[in-house]
Amino acid sequence: MTDRESVYDGLLGEDTSQWAFGTSFEDPLAGVDITLPDDVDAPVLAAYCLMLGDDALVYSHRLSQWASNAPDLEDDIALSNIALDLLGQARLLLARAAAADGTCVPVLLQGSPVPAEDALAYFRDEADFRNVRLVEPDDVGGPAGDFAVTIVRLLLFSTYRLALMERLRSSRDPVLAAVAVKAVKEVAYHRDYAGRWFVTLARGTEESRRRLLAGLGSVWPLHDELFGAHPVETLVAEQGVGVDPSTLATHVDVVLAQVLSAAGVEPPTLAQVGPVAGGTGRDGRHSEQMGRLLAEMQSVARAHPSGLW
């Protein structure tokens, strides 16, 4: 026992050293050097951070929908924790985008106390989001709603994102490098969790294997968009602050081939979803489900634009 009246007293007081990012959460980049590296274009860096942040934000929202809906309590908690990891990454990346180029932040009511990263999350329209389309579908309540579909989607996304974050640790931008160092540990777990479930479902019952293969068929057509280099991604790679995703494809394919082999599943040979109006998610061209996702995610903030949460 302690000499305190309650074991929770230690969570209070002025000492916030036990918290990873403090307790006020007013500025996720407080105390971090946000000076731009030499010869780095601020709007381009901001656009790149929005791409990576939007990937994490949108997928975090989708995964959070499994709360109370997963097959058992352990997976309910696991998927919620993965969603929280991605939400944390999104907050840091959106904050970095705003710090690099404040013009990317939506203009709210004069004097609004809404933090920049919240404004980017809740007050941009669909066409302003730059996430890949892979993260948009609803695996819980949508027409293809199925835990197996989520496992396939999480495997593809986390395998790509882990390879990306591993490379991003050497970014010339100290903020991106720091985000990547932390993210690698998180996303390594995301990939391993998805990989274990992928093999379990593939080698389980006839029904679990059928669902997994159906999930692979529905998700795989969005796989290649992860590796299509947008001009912004090409520029940040040239400037030494970002990664050209096309250079990750071979490594990711090797890892996925290992998981599929362990599961006794042949790699799909399916046609990929093409551009919409000449663009992909990185260009603000999204699926029909994206609008419904944003309507749900942004509804409270837009109803109370000067509120603090």
Side-chain angles (χ1 to χ4, degrees):
M1 297 294 291
T2 69
D3 56 358
R4 298 188 179 96
E5 293 184 4
S6 168
V7 294
Y8 298 106
D9 288 347
L11 299 178
L12 308 175
E14 298 180 357
D15 181 14
T16 61
S17 60
Q18 69 269 38
W19 301 105
F21 300 101
T23 55
S24 66
F25 292 95
E26 291 181 358
D27 181 3
L29 300 181
V32 177
D33 182 7
I34 59 174
T35 304
L36 287 179
D38 293 339
D39 303 322
V40 170
D41 187 282
V44 171
L45 175 60
Y48 182 62
C49 290
L50 288 179
M51 290 176 177
L52 303 189
D54 288 348
D55 284 348
L57 176 66
V58 173
Y59 199 33
S60 171
H61 182 80
R62 279 304 187 208
L63 287 171
S64 71
Q65 293 176 318
W66 276 108
S68 78
N69 290 303
D72 56 40
L73 182 59
E74 181 177 350
D75 293 298
D76 206 317
I77 295 172
L79 290 171
S80 295
N81 282 334
I82 292 172
L84 286 172
D85 287 341
L86 292 173
L87 185 60
Q89 293 173 27
R91 186 160 189 251
L92 292 168
L93 288 163
L94 295 184
R96 182 40 170 159
D101 179 17
T103 64
C104 73
V105 182
V107 178
L108 303 179
L109 299 176
Q110 186 173 5
S112 171
V114 176
E117 66 273 16
D118 282 4
L120 285 167
Y122 298 124
F123 295 96
R124 279 183 296 157
D125 294 330
E126 178 181 331
D128 297 321
F129 277 78
R130 294 294 181 260
N131 56 278
V132 292
R133 289 174 290 176
L134 177 78
V135 300
E136 296 172 8
D138 180 0
D139 293 343
V140 182
D146 195 303
F147 179 71
V149 179
T150 289
I151 291 302
V152 174
R153 196 181 314 280
L154 181 58
L155 177 65
L156 298 190
F157 179 75
S158 59
T159 303
Y160 148 79
R161 194 164 179 92
L162 179 56
L164 171 66
M165 291 299 168
E166 287 174 338
R167 292 271 298 275
L168 205 56
R169 289 179 297 185
S170 60
S171 170
R172 289 178 56 222
D173 178 42
V175 180
L176 278 179
V179 171
V181 168
K182 182 175 184 292
V184 161
K185 300 175 183 178
E186 297 170 340
V187 184
Y189 165 72
H190 304 174
R191 188 190 70 178
D192 291 347
Y193 171 84
R196 288 195 303 271
W197 260 115
F198 189 97
V199 174
T200 298
L201 293 173
R203 293 192 174 277
T205 65
E206 285 187 17
E207 177 63 10
S208 70
R209 185 176 179 84
R210 181 192 69 78
R211 286 173 177 252
L212 181 81
L213 295 178
L216 191 60
S218 68
V219 175
W220 193 265
L222 290 167
H223 167 265
D224 285 3
E225 187 177 324
L226 294 170
F227 309 102
H230 187 276
V232 165
E233 294 170 305
T234 301
L235 280 174
V236 292
E238 292 173 351
Q239 295 175 0
V241 294
V243 178
D244 181 338
S246 65
T247 63
L248 304 174
T250 299
H251 173 76
V252 171
D253 285 346
V254 168
V255 175
L256 291 177
Q258 292 170 346
V259 177
L260 267 62
S261 176
V265 173
E266 291 293 324
T269 55
L270 298 170
Q272 295 292 302
V273 173
V276 175
T280 66
R282 293 291 191 232
D283 303 297
R285 308 287 194 271
H286 300 288
S287 66
E288 291 183 5
Q289 296 189 67
M290 183 66 172
R292 293 192 290 272
L293 180 151
L294 292 179
E296 177 182 272
M297 188 180 78
Q298 298 178 335
S299 60
V300 174
R302 291 196 176 220
H304 305 280
S306 61
L308 287 177
W309 318 105

